[in-house]
């Protein structure tokens, strides 16, 4: 057997030893022996018995002794049957039977366990189910196997329901096996165990400490493991939670909390703890819950030298600050790497030292608690118990999660006087009322709803009243009332009897829900067992001899960092700042891609995307660029600018790392989900080689892909592994003998650039440039942002053409949380979208009618349904979105943008969804009620099901689903036309004066006095013109009987000509602002007559604000509307035809010979201001000039600056964040070589740039005077036509603008 096999065998042996030791069983022993059948009658007790022949000793399964079983004297919910097994035993199952030959049996019951016969603990399945189903007749046996075996000596069965035609009747059996363990009791003062490891003991890569403990103190040191230099790990109880602490020796007294697990661990019940150390992490388990903790790097090679249990036994000078106290309680089966330390201590092994007063048995105090579950819970005690001293002394302990509730009330001797001691806003308050008037009020304490035990005391002696909380720690309040405060009749704890007509108990507050213990009246302990036996006081709806508190926030059911809070019966999740919503913060608030945001009608901007929906990956902020046909997701890193390589002395290579704005997991998921990703990689070089070397190893390379990346030796535009650049692939490198331009090693500047498009190699993580140190070598690199488009999940669809067709997938696992979302469209009125079955459980979503969607499920509590009714038909062949969620608190269903419909889960019931069949999509297992239509983007718990892949191999189902304009066509605005695409749609803005992804972005320009834009219509003799490549908004036939003119403007100029349309017959249309700041429309449709002037009544149009104008003419009828003002109607008296329209001019009119003198003067002044979305019938002349200047019949003179000045949100009307230049010149300025941003160069470069600029100005002064004037006008703006600034020929680089910054839309940030 080799070394590896030996090691594996050793590991398995250790695991087997650990498991068998912790459970008290060796080997594979079957644990299902009957435990009750051989017990003597003295082992049975009960609350009462109907007769001696109905005694509890007869309650043995299948026995007919006595009356055939146990029956109590009265059948009510306060009865119980108790069995003493003689010693702690492992119990694995329980079986019940009715009383023989009778109509008496239990329909349901509770099961309680205890080690001592006190402090009972209720057994719960799934941590929630508190009851067991019982029998339906007297003879059949119903057996339940316990999901988690129980170790206990005593068990108690409490009937909940029984045969309504009979009474309580019971025979029972429990199954299990003996349980052996080693126990030690520590007194919390000086006792502890110390285990010192042998110096020569070989350390292993896996160490395990395991134990069980029980305690009634909420704080204390459990285990302390110390290693070299005082570095230690500790397991400590603090406020009932178990903390894992790391201390770093003498350098700091403040420990580092690595983990916190468990809650209410001071309940005097056994709790199981395992701490496992592996090479790089720790696993901490408390009971059934495990947390994985990454070990700090400096702790990886730490070894345990000493193990202290129950107290910190350390030579460290900081020992006194290490722990808040010693452990007081019992330990069981304390193991270190399978070594039983308690057994070693029993046998006085020299490695284990027993310190102080400890015993090898579990000595625990008897403390009887009482639970007030509410409603109508109360405990009534006689006042005589507290009246012997003539004063008042009441004390008790309580614990609760509620902020409010009545703790104690009693009457005072004065007639009508009453005392209320209650919780209010988690503070203890005392109020004394008389005849409805407040006589006295005291308050003390805070945050008393934290689930911890708190001590409340009320004392009245010699005219002084004192109320105390937690003795000296919590605070006290005092008063000196003018009347004695004593108890006259009875005391009521927790609430008042229902229907109390004697007015002896009044409760204007909430009832108390929680636990109480250690009640004392006049310094005498109240025996709650006597209360339970009806020998003292009275009570209702109490659970005596147990504290039934449950921490519903440990572990927290709130997902994704949601903060859990709770009351006695429910928990709540605060999802603020988490990015998720719902009852348990399960569902993401954000879409999963930029594609999804686009189809919600959003435009370019910053968005949070959650690539896996409700999955574990957090939302990430990205930029969504929706200005192109594809919707691009842009993820930035720390340097996307063109950056010059700065050689460092003594370093032959230049290495740079790129840090992305998103986390690793988010980044990789976004790449995987996208259909296409790319990243620009460019290198501008002069005598700096890149890839090809004589010996074959590249000078430069880059790292890309997951993690730190893998070495890649190809460049942008080439194939992976090719060790080439784009020019090598295309065969056009400057030197045919090389595969990269830079490898030609020339003195002239050249470049290698291209896109990296192989997703497996993205993103680019690091770049190493290796040929930068030679004399004369120079270079600059640029790594662009990561850009991805397409969402493989969003358009994944299947078409079901028959009711009997369906797709099937593996079983859906959504035991605690399940969310399902999808889109559908259909013409059918009903059908099942989704179904998954279990033995009893199921989950289903269906279209039940043409207006209703139903989400139904069963987790073992019976079927539940959530319905949403739509106000419009759902079988309209348009996409509708369904979102369903089921968690431990509620189920919810949402249809489109309707409000959520919800259904609360039962407070005490099953909550695990247990399915085992295949998941059916579009149909059911019975092939009935199938769905006909399309289902798209189906996601279960954030995971998209690939419907298309499965549909390709399934008869009756087709992959994909065309026809999206019926659903999304309304997103195309301003006369935009929806165009179908295979995956989605696009908006054709050819007929619109707007642009953008939804034809919603205004096309605006800033005009100066010398700006003129002239649009020429067809010549009158021209019969046909080829315009197939251009939208109809560019060319149109021009003899008109009407016009539809609209535009927006803002200006401070008055008067001003906004628009002028001329004809070949000296006819015209002019739109202007007159000297009174009013709008005038001038029509001259008959060259022989004067122009007709139509004046609007709307004032103050030259006020610098944005105004919209719409003018419509049909023959001789003209209507004018400005902004939201009332429409104004006019009639013309001249000819109704506008013949042979020649041109449309915006701004300065150069050919004004045919104009009237006053209009000619105005036309020569030009227009200063903003024009936007200019539309004349079917053409958009301003859009043609700005976006299609080379292919449209437009002439531009003077400076024309595209901006967002036409946006109503623009604060500065003449400046925009993203602006572009157009002039009457064509072509690019400069050599076309790239220029680098001077910010990322050195000071010598700046000097060179200045010198060359001066040289250019001097040598080109004669030919550039006009250009310099225009440049002055537009200096602050960027050129959309690629105009490049001319700089130093020594270093001719230009910084490329990031793709997200050239968007013509206003960048916005959305938090949706």
């Amino acid at each position: 057997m080799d070394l590896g096999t030996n090691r594996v065998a050793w590991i398995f042996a250790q695991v087997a030893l650990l498991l068998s030791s912790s459970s008290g069983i060796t080997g594979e022993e079957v644990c299902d022996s009957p435990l009750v059948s051989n017990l003597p009658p003295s082992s049975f007790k009960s609350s009462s018995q109907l007769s001696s022949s109905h005694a509890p000793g007869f309650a043995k399964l299948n026995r007919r002794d006595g009356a055939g079983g146990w029956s109590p004297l009265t059948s009510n919910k306060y009865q119980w049957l108790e069995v003493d097994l003689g010693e702690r035993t492992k119990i694995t199952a329980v079986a019940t039977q009715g009383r023989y030959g009778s109509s008496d049996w239990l329909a349901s019951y509770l099961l309680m366990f205890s080690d001592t016969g006190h402090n009972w603990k209720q057994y719960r399945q799934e941590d929630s189910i508190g009851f067991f189903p019982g029998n339906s007749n007297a003879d059949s046996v119903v057996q339940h196997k316990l999901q988690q075996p129980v170790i206990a000596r005593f068990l108690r069965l409490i009937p909940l329901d029984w045969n309504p035609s009979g009474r309580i009747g019971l025979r029972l059996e429990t199954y299990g096996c003996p349980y052996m363990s080693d126990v030690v009791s520590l007194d919390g003062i000086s006792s502890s165990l110390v285990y010192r490891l042998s110096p020569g003991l070989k350390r292993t890569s896996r160490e395990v400490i395991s134990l069980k403990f029980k305690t009634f103190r909420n704080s204390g040191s459990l285990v302390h493991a110390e290693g070299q230099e005082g570095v230690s790990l500790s397991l400590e109880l603090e406020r009932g939670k178990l903390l894992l602490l790391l201390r770093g020796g003498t350098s700091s007294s403040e420990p580092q909390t690595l983990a916190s697990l468990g809650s209410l661990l001071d309940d005097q019940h056994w709790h199981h703890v395992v701490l496992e150390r592996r090479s790089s992490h720790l696993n901490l388990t408390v009971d059934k819950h495990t947390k994985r903790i990454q070990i700090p790097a400096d702790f990886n090679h730490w070894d345990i030298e000493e193990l202290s249990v129950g107290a910190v036994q350390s030579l460290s000078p900081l020992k006194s600050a290490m722990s808040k106290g010693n452990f007081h309680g019992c330990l069981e089966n304390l193991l270190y790497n399978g070594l039983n330390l308690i057994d070693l201590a029993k046998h006085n092994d020299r490695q284990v030292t027993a310190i102080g007063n400890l015993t090898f048995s579990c000595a625990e105090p008897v403390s009887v608690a009482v639970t007030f579950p509410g409603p109508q819970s109360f405990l009534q005690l006689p006042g005589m118990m507290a009246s012997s001293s003539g004063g008042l002394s009441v004390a008790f302990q309580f614990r609760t999660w509620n902020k409010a509730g009545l703790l104690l009330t009693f009457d005072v001797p004065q007639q009508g006087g009453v005392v209320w001691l209650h919780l209010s806003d988690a503070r203890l308050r005392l109020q004394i009322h008389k005849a409805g008037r407040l006589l006295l009020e005291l308050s003390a304490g805070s945050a008393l709803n934290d689930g911890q035990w708190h001590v409340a005391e009320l004392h009245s002696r010699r005219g002084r009243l004192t109320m105390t909380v937690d003795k000296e720690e919590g605070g006290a309040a005092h008063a000196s009332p003018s009347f004695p405060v004593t108890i006259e009749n009875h005391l009521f704890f927790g609430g008042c009897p229902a229907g109390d007509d004697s007015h002896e108990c009044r409760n204007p507050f909430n009832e108390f829900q929680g636990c109480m213990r250690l009640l004392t009246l006049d310094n005498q302990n109240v025996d709650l067992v006597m209360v339970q036996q009806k020998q003292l006081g009275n009570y209702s709806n109490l659970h005596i001899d147990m504290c039934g508190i449950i921490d519903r926030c440990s572990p927290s059911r709130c997902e994704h960092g949601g903060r859990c809070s709770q009351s006695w019966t429910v928990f709540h999740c605060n999802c603020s700042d988490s990015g998720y919503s719902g009852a348990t913060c399960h569902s993401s608030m954000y879409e999963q891609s930029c594609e999804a945001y686009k189809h919600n009608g959003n435009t370019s901007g910053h968005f949070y995307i959650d690539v896996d929906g409700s999955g574990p990956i957090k939302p990430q902020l990205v930029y969504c660029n929706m200005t192109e046909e594809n919707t691009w997701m842009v993820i930035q890193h720390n340097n996307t600018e063109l950056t010059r390589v700065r050689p460092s002395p003594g370093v032959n290579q230049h290495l740079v790392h790129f840090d992305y704005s998103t986390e690793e997991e988010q980044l990789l998921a976004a790449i995987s989900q996208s259909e296409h990703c790319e990243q620009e990689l460019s290198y501008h070089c002069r005598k700096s080689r890149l890839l090809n070397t004589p010996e074959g190893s590249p000078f430069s390379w880059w790292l890309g892909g997951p993690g730190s990346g893998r070495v890649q030796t190809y460049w942008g535009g080439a194939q992976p592994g090719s060790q080439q650049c784009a020019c090598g692939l295309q065969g056009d490198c400057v030197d045919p003998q090389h595969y990269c331009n830079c490898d030609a090693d020339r003195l002239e500047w050249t470049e290698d650039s291209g896109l990296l498009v192989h997703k497996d190699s993205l993103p680019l993580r690091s770049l190493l440039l290796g040929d930068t140190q030679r004399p004369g070598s120079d270079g600059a690199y640029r790594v662009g942002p990561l850009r991805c488009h397409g969402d493989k999940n969003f358009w994944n669809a299947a078409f079901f053409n028959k009711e009997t067709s369906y797709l099937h997938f593996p079983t859906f696992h959504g035991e605690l949380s399940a969310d399902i979302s999808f889109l559908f469209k259909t013409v059918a009125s009903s059908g099942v979208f989704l179904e998954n079955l279990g033995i009893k459980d199921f989950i289903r979503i269906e279209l039940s009618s043409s207006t209703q969607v139903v989400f139904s499920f069963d987790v073992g509590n019976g079927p539940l349904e959530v319905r949403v009714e739509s106000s419009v038909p759902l079988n309209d062949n348009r996409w509708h979105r369904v979102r369903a969620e089921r968690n431990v608190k509620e189920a919810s269903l949402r249809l489109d943008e309707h409000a959520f419909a919800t259904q609360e889960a039962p407070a005490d019931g099953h909550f695990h969804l247990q399915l085992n069949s295949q998941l059916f999509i579009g149909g059911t297992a019975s092939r009935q009620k199938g769905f006909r239509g399309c289902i798209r983007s189906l996601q279960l718990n954030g995971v998209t099901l690939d419907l298309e892949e499965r549909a390709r191999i399934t008869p009756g189902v087709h992959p994909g689903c065309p026809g999206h304009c019926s659903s999304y066509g309304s997103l195309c605005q301003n006369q935009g036309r929806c165009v179908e695409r295979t995956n989605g749609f696009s908006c054709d803005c050819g007929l619109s004066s707007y642009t953008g992804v939804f034809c919603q972005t205004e096309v605006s320009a800033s005009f100066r006095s010398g700006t003129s834009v002239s649009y020429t219509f067809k010549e009158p003799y021209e019969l046909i013109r080829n315009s197939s490549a251009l939208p109809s908004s560019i060319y149109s036939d021009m003899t008109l009987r009407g016009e539809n003119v609209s535009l927006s403007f803002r200006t401070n100029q008055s008067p001003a000509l906004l628009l002028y349309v001329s004809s070949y017959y000296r006819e015209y249309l002019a739109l202007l602002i007159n000297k009174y700041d009013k709008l005038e429309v001038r029509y001259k449709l008959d060259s022989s007559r004067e122009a007709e002037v139509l004046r609007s009544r709307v004032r103050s149009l030259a006020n610098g604000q944005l105004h919209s104008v719409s003018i419509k003419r049909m023959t001789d009828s003209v209507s004018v509307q400005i902004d939201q003002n009332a429409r104004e109607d006019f009639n013309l008296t001249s000819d109704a035809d506008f013949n042979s329209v020649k041109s449309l001019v915006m701004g300065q009119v150069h050919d004004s010979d045919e104009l009237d003198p006053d209009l000619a003067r105005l036309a020569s002044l030009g227009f200063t201001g903003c024009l936007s979305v200019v539309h004349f019938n079917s053409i958009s002349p301003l859009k043609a000039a700005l976006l299609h200047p080379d292919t449209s019949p437009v002439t531009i003179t003077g400076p024309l600056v595209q901006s967002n000045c036409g946006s109503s949100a623009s604060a500065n009307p003449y400046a925009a964040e993203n602006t572009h230049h157009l002039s009457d010149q064509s072509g690019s300025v400069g050599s076309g070589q790239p220029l680098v941003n001077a910010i990322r160069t050195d000071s010598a470069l700046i000097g060179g740039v200045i010198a060359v600029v001066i040289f250019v100005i001097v040598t080109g002064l004669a030919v550039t005077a006009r250009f310099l004037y225009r440049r002055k006008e537009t200096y602050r703006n960027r050129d959309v036509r690629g105009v490049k600034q001319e700089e130093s020929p020594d270093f001719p680089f230009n910084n490329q603008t990031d793709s997200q910054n050239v968007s013509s839309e206003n960048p916005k940030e959305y938090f949706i």
Side-chain angles (χ1 to χ4, degrees), residues 1136-1161:
D1137 288 340
F1138 192 179
N1139 297 300
S1140 298
V1141 176
K1142 175 183 179 182
S1143 64
L1144 181 153
V1145 180
M1146 295 166 284
Q1148 189 178 40
V1149 180
H1150 296 295
D1151 185 12
S1152 58
D1153 297 339
E1154 301 176 354
L1155 296 179
D1156 301 332
D1158 60 333
L1159 188 59
R1161 286 192 300 272

Side-chain angles (χ1 to χ4, degrees), residues 642 644-645 684-687 746-750 776-780 1231 1233-1236 1241-1253 1255-1256 1285-1294:
L642 187 61
R644 188 176 183 181
V645 178
H684 303 272
C685 55
R686 183 174 64 178
K687 205 169 177 54
R746 296 187 177 184
L747 290 174
E748 298 83 9
W749 283 102
T750 186
S777 294
D778 211 345
S1231 64
Q1233 294 179 344
L1235 303 172
V1236 77
T1241 61
D1242 52 24
S1243 58
L1245 171 64
I1246 298 174
V1249 171
I1250 295 173
V1252 173
V1253 170
F1255 171 77
V1256 171
Q1285 298 177 3
E1286 194 170 351
E1287 294 200 20
S1288 167
D1290 239 3
F1291 194 51
F1293 296 121
N1294 181 37

